Amino acid sequence: MQDISRTFPIISDSDRWRARDLAVLWHPCTQMREHPDLLPLVPVARGDGAWLVGHDGRRWLDAVSSWWTNLHGHAEPRIAAAVAAQARTLEQVILAGFSHPPAVELAERLLALVPREPGRAPLAKVFYADNGSAGVEVALKMAFHWFRNRGETRRTRFVALENGYHGETLGALAVGDIPLYRRVYAPLLAEALFAPSPDAYLAEPGEGPAGRAERAAGALAELLDRHGGEVCALILEPRVQCAGGMRMHDPLYLRRVRELCDAHGIFLIADEIAVGFGRTGTLFACEQAPAAGDGPGGIQPDLMCVSKGLTGGFLPLAAVLATQAIYDGFLDDSRERAFLHSHSYTGNPLACAAGLASLEILEQDRVLERNRATAARMAELAAPLAELPHVAEVRQAGMILAFELTRNGDRRTPFEPALRVGLRAYRAAIARGVLLRPLGDVLYWMPPYCVDEAQLALLAQVTREAIEEATACA
Ligand SMILES: *Cc1c(COP(=O)(O)O)cnc(C)c1O
């Protein structure tokens, strides 16, 4: 056996854990060769609100909510208590043929909270899966299978948006458009139809976010005119393409997409996995679509995927919400017409109990109201950073705030990828006690909702220093 203490001089508990980790673990979304020299590996002993605490007492502010999952802070005592109580009662049960209270109650609460449009039959059924990608697979398969059950066998394709992201499994990758994750597996993927992103960052001079949204909707209309009859569903991330660099669009686009999906008789799948549960200021991002005529604002999708924040960041769980009409399309004497998709841990009671506790906190603590003040404070603290020479844009949607870094601070000249500006910023921030994991050269704040004034001030200060240090190479 290799003596790891020779490679890593052991001087502290953190070093010891780092060495043990690298001896056995293969980490996600990581070129392992970069550990530990180029990329620090940070062993965490416990979480405390917005802090991650190391074995030696060092702290890191979790400014990315641990991959956008955490809502109320780490080790939130009320969620922890709910999970512990559930673990002593019923930890897991098969969800085919059997049922349990947390699964039913969470479904009831979700259905009561999701967006509704008058005149449209509401989302009425909940199908559980156990992570976001699996939830996306469920929604895609449901849409396809529904048409098939009706004998519409030509509808085999999905429309997705350029720069979108829906997860890492092969079905989810097929409707994603991030080359870094997708390109290698392209030979394995079903061919989706990609429509231009409404991304406001790509607006032409003078066009503005709404103009960009209208132009993207026009291109989508043309795509559907050509291919509408082959399509079963359109999938998008409402309001913010998160993995695509926190690129934001005018919510007008959501209204247009709803209209186009209706006109072509295809399902609209809203992937609210990252933006759901208050991230963009409203409980769900679909609520922000402007009114059509005198009607109220907000659109209702036909299928909606939630995950990440669903359990407050405690346990993996996804839910796909569907209309009654979609559900009814599977009722038949034939089992093959049923939706047989299943995962062993579908609707796990511990995860559902965490979800119920998290929703309770969102309501009881009036979290969305408090977030409005927090988001306003984030905007104030970020404003001076917009003046830094390499910051091309600071953009915000509620509790998501992003800094786009470019070579000259304009939108035309990104940094040479080889400079790895994002990675440099990441290292600079880690060294200063903040977890600020970039997407390419986009830095973003997506903190737990419990983040306080002192933590935000630290975040702003460290972000400034990280940008300055990372861009000094240019
Ligand atoms: C994270 C994410 C997914 C995938 O969820 P996982 O739980 O990581 O599989 C899907 N869609 C969006 C928009 C996401 O941000």
Side-chain angles (χ1 to χ4, degrees), residues 68 131-133 136 165-167 237 271 273-274 307-308:
W68 325 339
N131 63 72
S133 306
V136 166
Y165 178 84
H166 301 287
E237 298 162 88
D271 179 351
I273 289 169
S307 184
K308 291 203 166 95

Side-chain angles (χ1 to χ4, degrees), residues 67-69 130-136 165-169 172 236-237 240 242-243 271-275 305 307-308 316-318:
W67 258 342
W68 325 339
T69 59
D130 47 20
N131 63 72
S133 306
V136 166
Y165 178 84
H166 301 287
E168 300 290 337
T169 53
L236 56 61
E237 298 162 88
V240 187
C242 291
D271 179 351
E272 293 247 8
I273 289 169
V275 293
C305 305
S307 184
K308 291 203 166 95
L317 181 69

Side-chain angles (χ1 to χ4, degrees), residues 107-176:
E108 288 171 349
R109 298 211 45 182
L110 287 173
L111 291 170
L113 290 171
V114 289
R116 268 170 199 242
E117 271 181 83
R120 191 182 291 278
L123 294 169
K125 297 286 178 190
V126 174
F127 191 99
Y128 289 113
D130 47 20
N131 63 72
S133 306
V136 166
E137 303 275 340
V138 165
L140 297 174
K141 284 175 69 179
M142 267 182 189
F144 165 80
H145 196 165
W146 188 88
F147 280 111
R148 197 151 189 97
N149 279 350
R150 296 224 317 184
E152 295 198 42
T153 50
R154 274 188 68 223
R155 293 189 184 265
T156 58
R157 306 189 76 180
F158 300 107
V159 174
L161 299 191
E162 289 172 2
N163 194 45
Y165 178 84
H166 301 287
E168 300 290 337
T169 53
L170 294 176
L173 267 186
V175 289

Side-chain angles (χ1 to χ4, degrees), residues 165-316:
Y165 178 84
H166 301 287
E168 300 290 337
T169 53
L170 294 176
L173 267 186
V175 289
D177 182 43
I178 314 261
L180 180 63
Y181 308 135
R182 177 194 167 92
R183 203 155 38 203
V184 196
Y185 303 104
L188 305 181
L189 304 179
E191 241 179 84
L193 296 160
F194 286 96
S197 169
D199 181 1
Y201 186 76
L202 302 178
E204 303 285 344
E207 187 178 44
R212 170 74 198 175
E214 289 287 16
R215 188 152 58 91
L220 174 62
E222 281 173 32
L223 182 78
L224 289 175
D225 282 340
R226 283 198 307 278
H227 295 286
E230 308 155 42
V231 173
C232 44
L234 177 147
I235 185 165
L236 56 61
E237 298 162 88
R239 197 66 184 85
V240 187
Q241 294 188 309
C242 291
M246 299 298 166
R247 293 292 183 83
M248 301 173 186
H249 55 256
D250 192 300
L252 173 62
Y253 185 73
L254 302 174
R255 170 65 55 200
R256 293 287 174 262
V257 168
R258 182 66 275 184
E259 291 164 355
L260 287 167
C261 287
D262 286 342
H264 289 270
I266 63 179
F267 293 127
L268 170 52
I269 304 172
D271 179 351
E272 293 247 8
I273 289 169
V275 293
F277 303 105
R279 264 301 156 197
T280 67
T282 44
L283 190 60
F284 296 103
C286 283
E287 295 168 34
Q288 293 178 32
D294 318 327
I299 56 148
Q300 182 194 308
D302 304 298
L303 291 159
M304 182 165 134
C305 305
V306 294
S307 184
K308 291 203 166 95
L310 173 57
T311 62
F314 265 64
L315 284 156

Side-chain angles (χ1 to χ4, degrees), residues 318-340:
V320 180
L321 290 81
T323 59
Q324 185 71 37
I326 292 179
Y327 174 84
D328 287 344
F330 291 84
L331 297 178
D332 198 274
D333 293 334
S334 149
R335 278 209 153 176
E336 231 175 71
R337 284 166 172 265
F339 193 64
L340 298 182

